Amino acid sequence: IVMDVKTLDSFLHALDTDGHLLDLMPRKIVWLSGAPGAGKGTNERYIIEYGHLYPSPLIASSLLNSPEMREKINHGLLLDDTTVISSVFSGLQDPIYQDGVVVDGYPRTEGQAYSIYWLYRELEKYGAQPKFSVLVLTLDEEESVRRQLYRGERALEYNKRIKKTGQGILKDVRPTDLDPQIARQRYHIFMEQTYSALQTLRGKL
């Protein structure tokens, strides 16, 4: 569902149910996005060390755990903006992130990109001097598909060894990393929707 700016503004203001949303939001946030397989996980530790941020990223998809949400995510689809925005903004209010954090996998749509601009603008009005950065990792389609499938293959092989030896912790295997068609679909969604949305933040932060 695509919301107009007026509706988005009303929704975002309504999230501040107790009047403390801006008090609890980190002032320093790195919004990290990238095409599937582009290496967000690999680069996070360097970004965290360089920016002196909380040692673990806030991973947007980890906040979306209902069966209905996971079903959509496992098929490479995007969730509605109200669900994702409210989940991410709620997660960011955890006091552990007060000195700064990397947010992995957000924004993915124009509505979510607008929410970042809205938050930046509101924090400025509040006198908080926010420091937001948006980092985007890209690669071509064939390499993206290859990396996704290779990641799935490695995870399956690792789990097979763990089951055989009985030692270690099984890795989560993303269904999207096992199906070439879904892997390709994820790439197209990123380029057609997410990458386009990220461009709307140029010069605003």
Side-chain angles (χ1 to χ4, degrees):
I1 299 172
V2 179
M3 293 186 285
D4 59 46
V5 170
K6 185 177 180 180
T7 305
L8 268 170
D9 275 328
S10 297
F11 165 73
L12 289 162
H13 282 291
L15 289 179
D16 193 9
T17 55
D18 60 3
H20 294 294
L21 176 71
L22 299 180
D23 286 329
L24 297 172
M25 281 291 176
R27 282 21 179 176
K28 184 192 293 186
I29 303 176
V30 176
W31 308 92
L32 178 61
S33 187
K40 294 195 305 296
T42 302
N43 287 282
E44 276 168 354
R45 66 179 182 273
Y46 303 115
I47 297 168
I48 287 168
E49 290 174 5
Y50 181 79
H52 304 290
L53 305 169
Y54 185 75
S56 297
L58 175 65
I59 301 175
S61 62
S62 70
L63 303 172
L64 309 167
N65 291 317
S66 76
E68 296 80 7
M69 293 178 188
R70 298 317 306 177
E71 180 71 13
K72 284 189 175 182
I73 291 169
N74 289 341
H75 284 84
L77 302 176
L78 297 178
L79 301 177
D80 65 273
D81 283 341
T82 56
T83 297
V84 179
I85 294 170
S86 57
S87 296
V88 170
F89 276 33
S90 177
L92 281 169
Q93 293 177 64
D94 191 318
I96 63 174
Y97 300 132
Q98 64 180 350
D99 293 328
V101 63
V102 171
V103 179
D104 179 333
Y106 186 92
R108 293 183 181 274
T109 66
E110 287 192 16
Q112 293 168 30
Y114 180 80
S115 75
I116 292 176
Y117 170 62
W118 178 89
L119 179 59
Y120 182 85
R121 186 183 62 195
E122 292 298 311
L123 285 169
E124 277 196 320
K125 291 179 185 176
Y126 195 63
Q129 298 182 323
K131 295 180 180 179
F132 286 6
S133 301
V134 178
L135 299 181
V136 188
L137 306 178
T138 62
L139 73 173
D140 65 50
E141 180 177 346
E142 295 308 316
E143 182 63 13
S144 171
V145 173
R146 187 193 71 79
R147 290 188 186 183
Q148 290 179 75
L149 297 179
Y150 179 63
R151 182 170 58 199
E153 181 183 317
R154 288 187 63 190
L156 288 175
E157 291 176 352
Y158 175 85
N159 286 348
K160 190 182 295 184
R161 290 197 299 270
I162 295 301
K163 289 176 181 177
K164 185 176 181 179
T165 62
Q167 297 180 345
I169 300 173
L170 293 173
K171 288 185 176 181
D172 289 332
V173 181
R174 307 179 193 184
T176 53
D177 287 348
L178 304 177
D179 186 322
Q181 184 175 346
I182 296 178
R184 199 170 295 278
Q185 175 181 289
R186 286 189 70 215
Y187 181 83
H188 287 167
I189 288 175
F190 174 82
M191 294 304 298
E192 294 165 10
Q193 297 187 45
T194 305
Y195 188 73
S196 174
L198 288 162
Q199 303 312 302
T200 67
L201 291 172
R202 282 181 177 272
K204 290 185 177 181
L205 305 179

